[in-house]
Amino acid sequence: MDTVVDKYFALQDTFDELIEEVEDKLLSDPSSETLATIQKIKRELIFLRRTVSPLRELLAAIQRSESPLINEKTRRYFGDIYDHAIRITEAIESYRGFDCGYAGYLPIQRQ
Protein backbone atom coordinates (compact mmCIF):
# COMPACT_ATOMS: atom_id res chain seq x y z
CA MET A 1 0.00 0.00 0.00
CA ASP A 2 2.87 2.33 0.73
CA THR A 3 4.10 2.00 -2.85
CA VAL A 4 0.63 2.73 -4.20
CA VAL A 5 0.32 5.89 -2.13
CA ASP A 6 3.83 6.95 -3.18
CA LYS A 7 2.71 6.63 -6.82
CA TYR A 8 -0.22 8.92 -6.00
CA PHE A 9 2.30 11.55 -4.83
CA ALA A 10 4.05 11.27 -8.20
CA LEU A 11 0.68 11.75 -9.91
CA GLN A 12 -0.02 14.76 -7.73
CA ASP A 13 3.27 16.33 -8.84
CA THR A 14 2.34 15.65 -12.47
CA PHE A 15 -1.07 17.29 -12.01
CA ASP A 16 0.56 20.30 -10.32
CA GLU A 17 2.82 20.83 -13.32
CA LEU A 18 0.07 20.18 -15.86
CA ILE A 19 -2.38 22.56 -14.21
CA GLU A 20 0.28 25.26 -14.03
CA GLU A 21 1.02 24.82 -17.74
CA VAL A 22 -2.67 24.94 -18.66
CA GLU A 23 -3.22 28.06 -16.57
CA ASP A 24 -0.25 29.75 -18.26
CA LYS A 25 -1.55 28.72 -21.69
CA LEU A 26 -5.00 29.99 -20.79
CA LEU A 27 -3.64 33.42 -19.93
CA SER A 28 -1.27 33.68 -22.87
CA ASP A 29 -3.22 32.02 -25.69
CA PRO A 30 -6.73 30.91 -24.72
CA SER A 31 -8.40 28.46 -27.09
CA SER A 32 -11.04 25.78 -27.22
CA GLU A 33 -8.16 23.29 -27.07
CA THR A 34 -7.26 24.69 -23.67
CA LEU A 35 -10.84 24.19 -22.53
CA ALA A 36 -10.71 20.57 -23.74
CA THR A 37 -7.50 20.07 -21.76
CA ILE A 38 -9.12 21.52 -18.64
CA GLN A 39 -12.07 19.17 -19.05
CA LYS A 40 -9.73 16.19 -19.48
CA ILE A 41 -7.79 17.12 -16.35
CA LYS A 42 -11.06 17.47 -14.45
CA ARG A 43 -12.14 13.95 -15.51
CA GLU A 44 -8.76 12.53 -14.52
CA LEU A 45 -8.99 14.19 -11.10
CA ILE A 46 -12.45 12.70 -10.55
CA PHE A 47 -11.06 9.26 -11.42
CA LEU A 48 -8.12 9.78 -9.08
CA ARG A 49 -10.41 10.87 -6.25
CA ARG A 50 -12.52 7.73 -6.79
CA THR A 51 -9.45 5.51 -6.54
CA VAL A 52 -7.88 7.20 -3.51
CA SER A 53 -11.06 7.36 -1.40
CA PRO A 54 -11.52 3.59 -0.93
CA LEU A 55 -7.85 3.22 0.00
CA ARG A 56 -8.17 6.02 2.53
CA GLU A 57 -11.28 4.37 4.02
CA LEU A 58 -9.52 0.99 4.24
CA LEU A 59 -6.59 2.57 6.04
CA ALA A 60 -8.96 4.39 8.41
CA ALA A 61 -10.65 1.06 9.21
CA ILE A 62 -7.28 -0.49 9.97
CA GLN A 63 -6.51 2.42 12.28
CA ARG A 64 -9.80 1.92 14.14
CA SER A 65 -9.40 -1.84 14.34
CA GLU A 66 -8.87 -3.39 17.72
CA SER A 67 -7.73 -6.68 16.26
CA PRO A 68 -4.93 -8.38 18.20
CA LEU A 69 -3.44 -9.31 14.82
CA ILE A 70 -2.29 -5.72 14.28
CA ASN A 71 0.62 -4.87 16.56
CA GLU A 72 1.66 -1.32 17.47
CA LYS A 73 4.47 -1.14 14.91
CA THR A 74 2.13 -2.23 12.12
CA ARG A 75 -0.52 0.21 13.30
CA ARG A 76 2.01 3.08 13.11
CA TYR A 77 3.08 1.94 9.64
CA PHE A 78 -0.51 1.98 8.40
CA GLY A 79 -1.07 5.26 10.23
CA ASP A 80 1.73 6.86 8.23
CA ILE A 81 0.25 5.54 4.98
CA TYR A 82 -3.17 6.83 6.08
CA ASP A 83 -1.69 10.29 6.71
CA HIS A 84 -0.21 10.25 3.21
CA ALA A 85 -3.56 9.20 1.72
CA ILE A 86 -5.19 12.12 3.54
CA ARG A 87 -2.59 14.51 2.06
CA ILE A 88 -3.29 13.17 -1.42
CA THR A 89 -7.04 13.55 -0.90
CA GLU A 90 -6.59 17.12 0.31
CA ALA A 91 -4.43 17.94 -2.71
CA ILE A 92 -7.06 16.50 -5.05
CA GLU A 93 -9.76 18.51 -3.29
CA SER A 94 -7.66 21.66 -3.69
CA TYR A 95 -7.84 21.14 -7.46
CA ARG A 96 -11.63 21.14 -7.34
CA GLY A 97 -12.96 24.08 -9.19
CA PHE A 98 -9.64 24.94 -10.78
CA ASP A 99 -11.67 25.27 -13.98
CA CYS A 100 -14.17 27.69 -12.46
CA GLY A 101 -14.02 31.14 -13.90
CA TYR A 102 -11.86 30.22 -16.85
CA ALA A 103 -14.73 30.44 -19.32
CA GLY A 104 -14.26 34.21 -19.42
CA TYR A 105 -10.75 33.75 -20.80
CA LEU A 106 -11.83 31.62 -23.73
CA PRO A 107 -12.69 33.18 -27.06
CA ILE A 108 -16.34 33.18 -28.05
CA GLN A 109 -16.98 30.51 -30.65
CA ARG A 110 -18.86 31.88 -33.65
CA GLN A 111 -20.78 29.60 -35.93
Side-chain angles (χ1 to χ4, degrees):
M1 273 195 254
D2 192 31
T3 302
V4 171
V5 172
D6 286 345
K7 297 295 181 188
Y8 285 131
F9 276 118
L11 276 174
Q12 176 191 346
D13 291 342
T14 301
F15 275 110
D16 285 342
E17 292 170 11
L18 184 59
I19 289 170
E20 187 174 321
E21 289 172 17
V22 168
E23 287 176 334
D24 289 346
K25 179 79 172 167
L26 185 65
L27 294 173
S28 66
D29 185 25
S31 68
S32 57
E33 181 182 311
T34 307
L35 179 59
T37 302
I38 290 170
Q39 291 171 335
K40 182 178 180 185
I41 292 170
K42 190 174 178 179
R43 284 192 302 275
E44 293 292 331
L45 288 170
I46 290 168
F47 175 77
L48 186 58
R49 183 172 41 251
R50 288 180 181 164
T51 59
V52 172
S53 292
L55 179 61
R56 186 192 68 220
E57 295 305 317
L58 172 65
L59 290 164
I62 290 171
Q63 287 299 110
R64 291 188 305 266
S65 173
E66 295 180 15
S67 172
L69 299 174
I70 302 174
N71 64 37
E72 191 56 36
K73 183 178 177 181
T74 303
R75 190 175 306 282
R76 279 195 310 271
Y77 171 76
F78 283 117
D80 287 343
I81 299 172
Y82 175 70
D83 289 342
H84 293 163
I86 291 293
R87 285 178 41 204
I88 295 295
T89 302
E90 288 172 351
I92 294 168
E93 290 300 317
S94 74
Y95 299 137
R96 243 187 186 171
F98 100 92
D99 62 334
C100 293
Y102 290 154
Y105 289 95
L106 297 172
I108 297 172
Q109 299 294 319
R110 302 203 192 275
Q111 295 186 14

